[in-house]
Amino acid sequence: MTTPLLTVNGVKTFYGNIMALKGIDIEVNEGEIVALIGANGAGKSTLMMTIFGQPRLSEGSIVFDGRDISQLSSHEIAELRIAQSPEGRRIFPRMSVLENLQMGATVADPAHFEADIKRVCALFPLLQKRMTQRGGTLSGGEQQMLAIARALMSRPRLLLLDEPSLGIAPILAKQIFRAIRELNERDKLTVLLVEQNAFHALKLAHRGYVLVNGEITLAGTGRELLERPEVRAAYLEGGRGEAQGA
């Protein structure tokens, strides 16, 4: 029987008096890519941030590798080898690409630094050419690659990816999805993925969840959810041409 690496059980999160998450239950098994899809404002990013300790949940539990992490600080969570590439990238714009990567490596063993730099540059060759360039001068797609690479520098067991393709050119988005698949297949990296492009997310994921107004309404394999008529109607309408060309 598979033991989940991450279990979110009955999680409720508030912003002031507004309940953003209304009792969320999800599981992510080791070595899986799990996608979380839903409309804007459904609570996807709130769930990702709650797992990472900001905001703090009000009810429920979050268990990582058998340990309840619900009350840990974000720094303590990072030290457990959970890494986050947040929505909006949030790189350090005044720092160089190399300095951003160094920031990501602060919780990892320094002995691995050079090897890890080579590893992320093999995934994202554009970064190799930009090492001395300030993060803020990169294109949106390059900044997204840097945000993911920075997260990978901590050698995570679980990578939280929030909207990796948002606002970037399709060719760079495809490169990012290809890198996620490679990390999972080659390194067995476990990934929880929030993605506005439901087709690509579910095509990539082993399993997925649909989040509507702070509640999970559907769950299944990526293929099962792609075939559900309500998922197609809500999230895949107008995407067929792109889907066929992907």
Side-chain angles (χ1 to χ4, degrees), residues 31-135:
E32 276 191 318
I33 299 174
V34 173
L36 192 63
I37 65 169
N40 288 339
K44 305 185 303 296
S45 292
T46 299
L47 177 56
M48 298 290 259
M49 292 187 294
T50 300
I51 292 169
F52 215 72
Q54 292 181 328
R56 187 83 71 201
L57 57 77
S58 301
E59 290 183 31
S61 65
I62 301 169
V63 176
F64 175 72
D65 196 22
R67 177 179 179 180
D68 191 327
I69 63 171
S70 307
Q71 301 305 315
L72 297 184
S73 68
S74 294
H75 181 72
E76 290 170 319
I77 291 168
E79 288 181 338
L80 296 176
R81 293 174 63 198
I82 300 175
Q84 184 182 38
S85 177
E87 183 183 10
R89 301 182 275 275
R90 300 186 203 171
I91 60 161
F92 301 106
R94 294 180 181 275
M95 291 185 178
S96 70
V97 167
L98 179 59
E99 288 167 337
N100 270 272
L101 295 175
Q102 288 171 330
M103 293 297 290
T106 53
V107 299
D109 184 342
H112 298 304
F113 182 76
E114 293 301 328
D116 289 342
I117 288 283
K118 289 179 182 176
R119 185 168 63 106
V120 298
C121 287
L123 276 174
F124 303 120
L126 280 170
L127 295 181
Q128 181 70 62
K129 304 172 185 176
R130 305 279 193 270
M131 275 294 162
T132 59
Q133 197 170 319
R134 283 190 178 187

Side-chain angles (χ1 to χ4, degrees), residues 31-33 115-125 145 148 152 156 159 161 173-191 193 200 203-206:
E32 276 191 318
I33 299 174
D116 289 342
I117 288 283
K118 289 179 182 176
R119 185 168 63 106
V120 298
C121 287
L123 276 174
F124 303 120
M145 291 176 184
I148 296 171
L152 292 173
L159 178 62
L161 275 180
K174 283 188 177 183
Q175 187 176 343
I176 286 170
F177 284 122
R178 195 160 46 240
I180 296 167
R181 185 184 299 279
E182 182 179 335
L183 287 163
N184 175 257
E185 291 179 349
R186 185 192 65 200
D187 301 339
K188 309 303 179 192
L189 178 64
T190 306
V191 180
L193 169 68
H200 283 303
K203 188 179 174 186
L204 183 68
H206 299 97

